[in-house]
Amino acid sequence: MRLRVLAFTLLLASVANVSVAAEFPDPKKGFDFSALSETPVLSGGRLKPLDSYAREVVLHVTGSRVFQGWNPVELMVSWAVAPALWEELNFILISRADVKRQIGVEERRSHFSPKELVENSALAQYADRMGASASQPMQVGLAGAPKEDPREKELRAVMERVGMYRAVVSGDGWPLIPMPGDEAWHVLSSQEKDGGEEIRNPSAAMMISYREGKIEGFSKSVTAMGAAILARMENVTDRVHQSLRAEVFYNRFHPFRLAWVFYLFAVLAGALALGFQATLKGRGEKILKASCLTFAGTGVAVHVAGMVLRVFISERPPVTNMYESVIWVAFGAMVFGAILFGVTRQLILMVCAAAVATITLLIADSAPAVMDPSIRPLVPVLRSNLWLTIHVLTITLGYAAFALTLSLGNVTLFHYARLALGRGGAGRQAKILNLNQLTYRATQFGVVLLAAGTILGGVWADYSWGRFWGWDPKEVWALIALLGYIAILHARYTGWIGQFGYAAWTIVSFVLVLMAWYGVNFVLGAGLHAYGFSSGGQGTVAAFTFAQLAYVAVIAWLRKRKQAHS
């Protein structure tokens, strides 16, 4: 039995028996999807569990890794067996307001039904135009090549989301039939004579059992389908089974979400210990300090566990896209904070480092549509684990050190604001001097690492592209960021700027890091580093930048006003 025929039959039955639903249905109770989640799938150039594949599909279609509380695997099954029900529900993401205006749908909504999008005449016209232009070659990412308009990109993504959902319904979105050698796996709806009926038949039975609420039949069909898939696969080693199980565990463990929660508690405990130091003498202060360090240490342990799992699954360093670099920067900030804390015993270092880790991991966790958390194969230019490790890890560790200086600089200016408002005296001046020195040490870490990473990147570029330096936007902005921080260190050394100026400039200069790290990939979208390009988040980054610059300007004004009245 072909799944395409099954889906069409179920569609007719659903049309006859299901009215338009006003609310999303609830997942069916009693069904165990653990075995189905571990079923191997070949997609995106690598073998992965169906759990990961389903999360990628659901994320792409809905913009969320887990939609309306549904297990992603169960959601795909539900789409396939009840298409008439889901056709009327709003779950396909459109993220840009200008795209909504262009196709004439409500701007206040973020999700739309497949039916209304398929019947949308403006979207249909765009689909025709997209098909006509698909044959025209375009050199994406090369210097001087046209950058795709963000609105056009979102329109294309909307069509892909509708197509992905329809593929799941028709069977084209279920690549479960292993083929010999390096050949792509066939989908359940394939009409080729590939001998895959031993997989298609139990998969159809699984769908029917789920639709009819037969839990035992569903479990038996999943077991039979899984066994048939493994029987057709070549070179199924223990490593394959371990990797599949580890990836499912990783998906459900959410290590980086758990890590930022621990880091947040570390920030709160440390802030209380420092903020009420005068009134919490003795045991209370010790308990809060111990709690801060315990939460921070536990967060680091969970953080490391997540990175180890990711490396085990992907068999490469976890630094190939923005999501992974954010994770690494958070870890680097904790490492530098711990090193400096071990030398100075200043709790503020752990608080500031944990604050950086909390914010960065929270952003990565809450914006999966912008920073894709999926594990993907390396693009050809990155397939050198040696260069990937020493260049990218070094550069991002430099960013981590600068992020720590940003956090310390914000705390320093907070103390300046308190002084400007007449709160504090010699004690606060001593804190400022101490924070200035800690910021200086963290800046030194960042400059050395960013300089080394930039030089190593040139060596790798010579190895990969045949030239050491080509004024690529990524190279240029890394150099600008490096020169910016070198200028700050020089100005501090020569006395051109004082303690306030140094703290303020460490905050302002982080804009250069944001441009090198985020702006080139997400705003400019040009150059040879095309493998890192993406879009989204510009508003959030712009708001953060404006808030930081405004913070510096307001405190500078308060300080100048205080000096004028002195």
Side-chain angles (χ1 to χ4, degrees), residues 55-89:
R55 289 173 189 271
E56 292 169 7
V57 169
V58 172
L59 173 61
H60 183 61
V61 173
T62 71
S64 174
R65 283 173 288 187
V66 179
F67 187 74
Q68 295 288 334
W70 281 76
N71 178 310
V73 176
E74 184 177 5
L75 183 58
M76 281 186 60
V77 173
S78 183
W79 285 349
V81 304
L85 174 66
W86 287 99
E87 282 285 319
E88 304 284 351
L89 298 177

Coordinates of all heavy atoms in Angstrom, one line a residue, residues 55-89:
R55 N 11.9 17.6 14.2 CA 12.1 19.0 14.8 C 12.5 20.0 13.8 O 12.1 21.2 13.8 CB 13.2 18.9 15.9 CG 12.7 18.1 17.2 CD 13.8 17.9 18.2 NE 13.4 17.0 19.3 CZ 12.8 17.5 20.4 NH1 12.7 18.8 20.6 NH2 12.4 16.6 21.3
E56 N 13.4 19.6 12.8 CA 13.8 20.5 11.8 C 12.6 20.9 10.9 O 12.4 22.0 10.5 CB 14.9 19.8 10.9 CG 16.2 19.6 11.7 CD 17.2 18.8 10.9 OE1 16.9 18.4 9.7 OE2 18.2 18.4 11.5
V57 N 11.7 19.9 10.6 CA 10.6 20.1 9.8 C 9.6 21.1 10.5 O 9.1 22.1 9.9 CB 9.9 18.8 9.4 CG1 8.5 19.1 8.8 CG2 10.7 18.0 8.5
V58 N 9.3 20.8 11.7 CA 8.4 21.6 12.5 C 8.9 23.0 12.7 O 8.2 24.0 12.6 CB 8.0 20.9 13.9 CG1 7.2 21.8 14.8 CG2 7.3 19.6 13.6
L59 N 10.2 23.1 13.0 CA 10.8 24.4 13.1 C 10.7 25.2 11.8 O 10.3 26.4 11.9 CB 12.3 24.3 13.5 CG 13.1 25.6 13.6 CD1 12.5 26.5 14.6 CD2 14.6 25.3 13.9
H60 N 11.0 24.6 10.7 CA 10.9 25.3 9.4 C 9.5 25.7 9.1 O 9.2 26.8 8.7 CB 11.4 24.4 8.3 CG 11.5 25.0 7.0 ND1 12.2 26.2 6.7 CD2 10.8 24.7 5.8 CE1 12.0 26.5 5.5 NE2 11.2 25.7 4.9
V61 N 8.5 24.9 9.4 CA 7.1 25.2 9.0 C 6.5 26.1 10.0 O 5.8 27.1 9.6 CB 6.3 23.9 8.9 CG1 4.8 24.2 8.7 CG2 6.8 23.0 7.8
T62 N 6.7 25.9 11.3 CA 6.0 26.7 12.3 C 6.8 27.8 13.0 O 6.3 28.7 13.6 CB 5.4 25.8 13.4 OG1 6.5 25.3 14.2 CG2 4.7 24.6 12.8
G63 N 8.2 27.7 12.8 CA 9.0 28.6 13.5 C 9.3 28.3 15.0 O 10.0 29.0 15.7
S64 N 8.9 27.1 15.4 CA 9.1 26.6 16.8 C 9.5 25.2 16.7 O 8.9 24.4 15.9 CB 7.8 26.8 17.6 OG 7.9 26.3 18.9
R65 N 10.4 24.8 17.6 CA 10.8 23.4 17.7 C 9.7 22.4 18.2 O 9.7 21.3 17.8 CB 12.1 23.2 18.5 CG 13.3 23.7 17.8 CD 14.5 23.7 18.7 NE 14.5 24.8 19.6 CZ 15.5 25.1 20.4 NH1 16.6 24.5 20.4 NH2 15.3 26.1 21.3
V66 N 8.9 23.0 19.1 CA 7.8 22.2 19.7 C 6.6 23.1 19.5 O 6.5 24.1 20.2 CB 8.0 21.8 21.1 CG1 6.9 21.0 21.7 CG2 9.3 21.0 21.3
F67 N 5.6 22.7 18.7 CA 4.5 23.5 18.4 C 3.3 23.1 19.2 O 2.8 21.9 19.1 CB 4.2 23.5 16.9 CG 3.1 24.5 16.5 CD1 3.4 25.8 16.4 CD2 1.9 24.1 16.1 CE1 2.5 26.8 16.0 CE2 0.9 25.0 15.7 CZ 1.2 26.3 15.7
Q68 N 2.7 24.0 20.0 CA 1.4 23.8 20.7 C 1.5 22.6 21.6 O 0.5 21.9 21.8 CB 0.3 23.7 19.7 CG 0.0 24.9 18.9 CD -0.7 26.0 19.8 OE1 -1.3 25.7 20.8 NE2 -0.5 27.3 19.4
G69 N 2.7 22.3 22.1 CA 2.9 21.2 23.0 C 2.9 19.8 22.4 O 3.0 18.8 23.1
W70 N 3.0 19.7 21.1 CA 3.0 18.5 20.4 C 4.5 17.9 20.3 O 5.4 18.7 20.0 CB 2.5 18.6 18.9 CG 1.0 18.7 18.8 CD1 0.2 19.7 19.1 CD2 0.2 17.6 18.3 NE1 -1.1 19.4 18.8 CE2 -1.1 18.1 18.3 CE3 0.4 16.3 17.8 CZ2 -2.2 17.3 17.9 CZ3 -0.7 15.6 17.4 CH2 -2.0 16.1 17.5
N71 N 4.6 16.6 20.5 CA 5.9 16.0 20.1 C 6.0 16.1 18.6 O 5.1 15.8 17.9 CB 5.8 14.5 20.5 CG 7.0 13.7 20.1 OD1 7.5 13.8 19.0 ND2 7.5 12.9 21.1
P72 N 7.2 16.6 18.2 CA 7.4 16.9 16.7 C 7.1 15.6 15.8 O 6.5 15.8 14.7 CB 8.8 17.3 16.6 CG 9.2 17.9 17.9 CD 8.4 17.0 18.9
V73 N 7.5 14.5 16.3 CA 7.2 13.3 15.5 C 5.7 13.0 15.4 O 5.2 12.7 14.3 CB 8.0 12.0 16.1 CG1 7.6 10.8 15.4 CG2 9.5 12.3 16.1
E74 N 5.1 13.1 16.5 CA 3.6 12.9 16.5 C 2.9 13.9 15.7 O 1.9 13.6 15.0 CB 3.0 12.9 18.0 CG 1.5 12.6 18.0 CD 1.0 12.5 19.4 OE1 1.7 12.8 20.4 OE2 -0.2 12.2 19.5
L75 N 3.4 15.2 15.7 CA 2.8 16.2 14.9 C 2.9 15.9 13.4 O 1.9 16.0 12.6 CB 3.5 17.5 15.2 CG 2.9 18.8 14.4 CD1 1.4 19.0 14.8 CD2 3.7 20.0 14.8
M76 N 4.0 15.3 13.0 CA 4.2 14.9 11.6 C 3.2 13.8 11.2 O 2.6 13.8 10.2 CB 5.6 14.5 11.3 CG 6.6 15.6 11.1 SD 8.2 15.1 10.6 CE 7.9 14.2 9.0
V77 N 3.1 12.9 12.1 CA 2.1 11.8 11.9 C 0.7 12.3 11.8 O -0.1 11.9 11.0 CB 2.3 10.7 13.0 CG1 1.2 9.6 12.9 CG2 3.6 10.0 13.0
S78 N 0.4 13.2 12.7 CA -1.0 13.8 12.7 C -1.2 14.6 11.4 O -2.4 14.5 10.9 CB -1.1 14.7 13.9 OG -2.5 15.2 14.0
W79 N -0.2 15.3 10.9 CA -0.4 16.0 9.6 C -0.7 15.0 8.5 O -1.6 15.3 7.7 CB 0.9 16.7 9.3 CG 1.1 18.0 10.0 CD1 0.3 18.6 10.8 CD2 2.4 18.7 10.0 NE1 0.9 19.8 11.4 CE2 2.2 19.8 10.9 CE3 3.6 18.6 9.4 CZ2 3.2 20.8 11.1 CZ3 4.6 19.5 9.6 CH2 4.4 20.6 10.5
A80 N 0.0 13.8 8.6 CA -0.2 12.9 7.5 C -1.6 12.2 7.5 O -2.1 11.9 6.5 CB 0.9 11.8 7.6
V81 N -2.1 11.9 8.7 CA -3.3 11.2 8.8 C -4.6 12.0 8.9 O -5.7 11.5 8.7 CB -3.3 10.2 10.1 CG1 -2.1 9.3 10.0 CG2 -3.3 10.9 11.4
A82 N -4.5 13.3 9.2 CA -5.6 14.2 9.3 C -5.4 15.5 8.6 O -5.5 16.6 9.2 CB -5.9 14.4 10.8
P83 N -5.1 15.4 7.3 CA -4.8 16.7 6.6 C -6.0 17.6 6.5 O -5.7 18.8 6.5 CB -4.4 16.1 5.2 CG -5.0 14.8 5.1 CD -5.0 14.2 6.4
A84 N -7.2 17.1 6.4 CA -8.3 18.0 6.3 C -8.5 18.9 7.6 O -8.9 20.1 7.5 CB -9.6 17.3 6.1
L85 N -8.2 18.3 8.7 CA -8.2 19.0 10.0 C -7.1 20.1 10.0 O -7.4 21.3 10.3 CB -8.0 18.0 11.1 CG -7.9 18.7 12.5 CD1 -9.2 19.3 12.9 CD2 -7.4 17.6 13.5
W86 N -5.9 19.8 9.6 CA -4.8 20.7 9.7 C -4.8 21.7 8.6 O -4.3 22.8 8.8 CB -3.5 19.9 9.7 CG -3.2 19.2 11.0 CD1 -3.4 17.9 11.2 CD2 -2.7 19.8 12.2 NE1 -3.1 17.6 12.5 CE2 -2.6 18.7 13.1 CE3 -2.3 21.0 12.6 CZ2 -2.2 18.9 14.4 CZ3 -1.8 21.2 13.9 CH2 -1.8 20.2 14.8
E87 N -5.5 21.5 7.5 CA -5.6 22.4 6.4 C -6.3 23.7 6.9 O -6.0 24.8 6.3 CB -6.4 21.8 5.2 CG -5.7 20.9 4.4 CD -4.7 21.6 3.4 OE1 -5.0 22.6 2.9 OE2 -3.6 21.0 3.3
E88 N -7.1 23.6 7.9 CA -7.9 24.8 8.3 C -7.2 25.5 9.5 O -7.7 26.6 9.9 CB -9.3 24.4 8.7 CG -10.1 23.6 7.6 CD -10.6 24.6 6.6 OE1 -10.5 25.8 6.8 OE2 -11.1 24.1 5.5
L89 N -6.1 25.0 10.0 CA -5.5 25.5 11.2 C -4.3 26.4 10.9 O -3.6 26.2 9.9 CB -5.1 24.4 12.2 CG -6.2 23.5 12.7 CD1 -5.7 22.4 13.5 CD2 -7.2 24.3 13.4

